[in-house]
Structures are given as C-alpha cells and as structure tokens.
Amino acid sequence: MIKNILQFSHQLLADAVQVGETVIDATCGNGNDTIFLSNLVGDSGTVLAFDIQKQAIDSTKRRLIDEARQNVKLIHDGHERVTTYLLKEQKHGIAGAIFNLGYLPRSDKTIITKSESTLQAIQQILDYLKTNGVVVIVIYYGHEGGLEEKENVITFVKQLDQSAYHVLRYEFINQKNNPPFVVAIQKRKEKLNK
Amino acid sequence: MIKNILQFSHQLLADAVQVGETVIDATCGNGNDTIFLSNLVGDSGTVLAFDIQKQAIDSTKRRLIDEARQNVKLIHDGHERVTTYLLKEQKHGIAGAIFNLGYLPRSDKTIITKSESTLQAIQQILDYLKTNGVVVIVIYYGHEGGLEEKENVITFVKQLDQSAYHVLRYEFINQKNNPPFVVAIQKRKEKLNK
C-alpha cells in the first residue's frame, strides 16, 4: 500500500537516523512523534522535544513516563530558539527533525505555529543537520492562518539550493478538506562556502 | 536517502505486484521499465508492453533477447487501445502499470504522448486494476506540449473519488529545468455501482 502521511514521515526518519544520534521534535504536541524518535535513537541517543504550549509538554511528559523513555529532553520554549539548546559540537551532527505545523490536536485552535518562527527553526536545524540528515515537515493548513504558513514554508524550501538539499513534496491530491502533506528536506553535502 | 523518481516508481510497483500477476508497461520506450516489470512478475507472470513507435518496440525487443526474458508481450500500438489486448477475465486482475509521459529518449522530440490517449489508457487500466493495484505515471513535461499534458493528467487524477482511489503526487520541488515527477494511483476498492 502507498504509505500514508504518518507512515511516510516515520519511514523518512527511520531511513536517515541511526541509534545513538541526536534528533529534534520541533512540535512535540501529544508526544506521538517524540515516542517514535525516542525509540529510533535508542537509550544511547537523545531527543530534544520542543513545544511552546505547557499542555503539550505535560501531555508528552506523561507519555514518556508511561513508556519509561529516558532519552528525551523536554523543552518548554519556542522552536525558533532551538540553537540555544544545541552545543557547537553538534553542528552537522543532528540526524533528523520533525515539525507538525498547525495547532495542538484536541486543544485551542487559535494557538498555531507561525511562518516566522517556523522558518527560523527550519533554517537553524538545517545548519546543524548532518549530511543525509532529514527534516520532515507535516503541513496541516485547514485552520485559519494555515494557508499563509503553508505558502511561506513552500516558498522557503523551493529556493533551497538543489546541489545542497533534496526537497520532496509528498501529497495526496484527490482528498477533500485540506489534508496534511509532507515536505522533506535532505542535506546532500555541506556548502563549500561555510 | 530519499528515493529518486525512478527508485520510488519501482518501489511502488514492487510493493503492489506479486509473482505470477499481469502488469502493463504503457510506454515501453527503451525497455528499462519493461525489464524491471518482467523480473517482478517472474516467469509465471505476464507483461504487456505498449509503444506507438517501432523504434521503441525494436529497442525493447533487443533488451528482452539480451536478458532472455520471455514473459513480455510487445505490442506495437497506442496504449489507448489497451483493453483490446485484455481478456474480460482480467478485469480487476491487473496488478500494476507504468507510464512514462513525454518523448522517447534519444529520439524525435516531436513525437510525444498526448493527453487524450494518455487519459483514455489510464481510465481503461483503472477499470482493470485489482484492489490495491497501482498505476504509476512519471510525468516529463519540459518539452513542447508537455505542460498541457501534465495539467490535463493532474486535473483528471484530482477528481478521482477518494473513497475508491489514493492519488499521490511525489515531486522534488527545488529543482530547475522541470524535472519529472510521479503521480501514483492506488485502487482502494471497487465502486459498488459497477
């Protein structure tokens, strides 16, 4: 079967990430991707999981306790401040990251991710990404404000240098009600001018 | 690594097709996909390989002889006549198909696939597809006439009922020079009114 959005997102990360590496959940939400990443990097790896909403951090914390995962650093802060939490030594060492853009499921739909901070976070993580590392962005855009963020993210990723990054769009195009789709960025190599 | 267009196309077919089944190469071209499909279905399966150009048929025939593949029926005819070559018993029995839209590589660029016959062929194959079978369409559109065919194919597949088909678009969006992309259609179930 053709993989759905969740399956494909996780497959991309599983293909790029090795046990022991460091990965980022830029929007931990209810913790589903955090748990997935935690298992992916194993006890010797690290997950940095961000969310601006305390409700999301609390919800993810409970999931981590329930599943006895101890390799996750939960960070109650905006993901646009991600580099504050990374060491210089981690430059070119982040193996993967995932964003779920939109609002926290089963929560206040007016609290949403926004282009400016989203793009700042993506750019920062790209700078820290290892060669062949991947940033997966799941774009929900059916909510108010979602379309603008979608357009801004697409504009940003389209201009990424094709010799430095592969940028893939994976989308089901015959579904109603603005279903989410995936944008995946894979670093091909470091630019020579860095 | 994120799969490129060729790798992803073949992965979709490999996931959907079993040994012993019947598949269709709607545009055999220089025979690359024909050979791939021939190996996929094995000696007990069948590949129907179409091309409107004799040069393509001859080229594919040589490849088949070189690789000693005997499960391919080469058909020098337009793919819009595909049902002429299928038995009624094969309805809902075709496991997969692939189209490469555009012109024959290293050949006359003015001889191109065209929307009308392409859409007729796609619709006919969808009618003959098994549940979970897949039609993979690789869309080259950088040539003259390519953009029109691309738009017409996209318009057609977008209106396919989402309860009956998954329609996926898989495209690298930061590459210059109109690179090919994939549209994949997977049959979910038969419509009740058939």
Side-chain angles (χ1 to χ4, degrees):
Chain A
M1 291 289 292
I2 295 179
K3 288 186 172 61
N4 67 26
I5 296 300
L6 179 68
Q7 291 165 335
F8 187 69
S9 303
H10 285 190
Q11 184 67 55
L12 288 169
L13 289 162
D15 287 346
V17 174
Q18 307 293 321
V19 167
E21 292 190 305
T22 299
V23 294
I24 295 168
D25 187 347
T27 50
C28 72
N30 292 315
N32 293 324
D33 290 334
T34 317
I35 295 286
F36 171 77
L37 289 171
S38 170
N39 288 312
L40 201 57
V41 297
D43 293 340
S44 58
T46 303
V47 182
L48 300 182
F50 290 81
D51 213 292
I52 193 79
Q53 291 191 71
K54 184 152 190 314
Q55 185 185 339
I57 295 291
D58 291 345
S59 175
T60 301
K61 190 180 286 177
R62 280 193 298 276
R63 290 284 307 274
L64 294 171
I65 292 170
D66 285 352
E67 309 208 13
R69 300 306 309 165
Q70 301 187 320
N71 60 351
V72 178
K73 291 185 191 168
L74 276 176
I75 300 168
H76 182 198
D77 200 350
H79 48 216
E80 71 278 13
R81 288 171 34 80
V82 59
T83 43
T84 316
Y85 299 90
L86 293 172
L87 303 171
K88 269 193 186 160
E89 304 89 84
Q90 290 177 300
K91 198 135 187 176
H92 317 315
I94 301 298
I98 188 163
F99 290 75
N100 279 277
L101 303 185
Y103 56 86
L104 181 64
R106 301 183 296 282
S107 178
D108 184 346
K109 292 190 188 183
T110 66
I111 304 177
I112 58 173
T113 53
K114 295 201 175 136
S115 309
E116 194 182 341
S117 45
T118 298
L119 295 183
Q120 285 174 14
I122 293 170
Q123 184 59 66
Q124 288 175 35
I125 294 172
L126 289 180
D127 289 340
Y128 274 75
L129 210 61
K130 70 172 184 179
T131 298
N132 293 336
V134 70
V135 174
V136 176
I137 309 163
V138 184
I139 304 183
Y140 293 78
Y141 63 100
H143 58 285
E144 187 158 343
L147 205 59
E148 184 193 342
E149 184 180 39
K150 169 192 159 185
E151 295 301 335
N152 288 335
V153 170
I154 293 296
T155 300
F156 173 78
V157 299
K158 271 190 173 174
Q159 56 75 42
L160 288 172
D161 179 356
Q162 74 180 84
S163 70
Y165 299 100
H166 295 296
V167 179
L168 175 73
R169 180 170 177 158
Y170 183 98
E171 181 173 19
F172 292 94
I173 59 174
N174 69 327
Q175 297 179 357
K176 298 188 195 305
N177 301 321
N178 307 311
F181 65 94
V182 170
V183 167
I185 309 169
Q186 186 160 43
K187 185 176 273 192
R188 301 181 64 179
K189 60 184 181 191
E190 289 306 320
K191 284 188 195 168
L192 294 175
N193 60 356
K194 277 200 177 170
Chain B
M1 292 291 293
I2 295 178
K3 288 185 171 63
N4 67 27
I5 296 302
L6 180 68
Q7 291 165 334
F8 186 69
S9 302
H10 285 190
Q11 183 67 54
L12 288 169
L13 289 161
D15 288 346
V17 174
Q18 308 292 322
V19 166
E21 292 189 306
T22 299
V23 293
I24 295 169
D25 187 346
T27 50
C28 72
N30 291 316
N32 293 324
D33 290 334
T34 317
I35 294 286
F36 170 77
L37 290 171
S38 169
N39 287 312
L40 201 57
V41 298
D43 293 341
S44 58
T46 303
V47 182
L48 301 182
F50 290 83
D51 213 292
I52 194 80
Q53 290 191 70
K54 183 152 191 311
Q55 185 185 339
I57 295 291
D58 290 344
S59 176
T60 301
K61 189 180 286 177
R62 280 192 298 276
R63 290 285 305 274
L64 294 171
I65 292 169
D66 285 350
E67 308 208 14
R69 301 304 310 163
Q70 301 187 321
N71 60 351
V72 178
K73 291 185 192 169
L74 276 175
I75 301 167
H76 182 198
D77 199 352
H79 48 216
E80 71 278 14
R81 289 174 31 84
V82 57
T83 44
T84 316
Y85 298 90
L86 294 171
L87 304 171
K88 271 195 186 159
E89 305 88 84
Q90 290 177 300
K91 197 139 189 174
H92 317 313
I94 300 298
I98 188 163
F99 289 75
N100 280 279
L101 304 185
Y103 56 87
L104 181 65
R106 302 183 295 281
S107 178
D108 185 346
K109 293 189 185 183
T110 65
I111 305 177
I112 58 174
T113 54
K114 294 201 175 138
S115 309
E116 192 182 343
S117 45
T118 298
L119 295 182
Q120 285 173 14
I122 293 171
Q123 183 60 66
Q124 288 175 33
I125 294 173
L126 289 180
D127 289 342
Y128 274 76
L129 210 61
K130 70 172 184 179
T131 298
N132 294 335
V134 70
V135 174
V136 176
I137 310 163
V138 184
I139 304 182
Y140 294 77
Y141 63 100
H143 58 284
E144 186 157 346
L147 205 59
E148 183 192 343
E149 184 179 38
K150 168 193 159 184
E151 295 302 333
N152 288 335
V153 170
I154 294 296
T155 301
F156 172 78
V157 299
K158 271 190 173 176
Q159 54 75 43
L160 289 171
D161 179 355
Q162 72 179 87
S163 71
Y165 298 100
H166 294 296
V167 179
L168 175 72
R169 180 168 178 162
Y170 183 98
E171 180 173 20
F172 291 94
I173 60 175
N174 69 327
Q175 296 179 356
K176 298 188 196 307
N177 301 322
N178 307 311
F181 66 95
V182 171
V183 166
I185 309 169
Q186 186 160 43
K187 184 177 273 193
R188 301 181 64 180
K189 59 183 183 194
E190 290 307 320
K191 284 187 196 169
L192 294 175
N193 60 356
K194 277 203 179 168

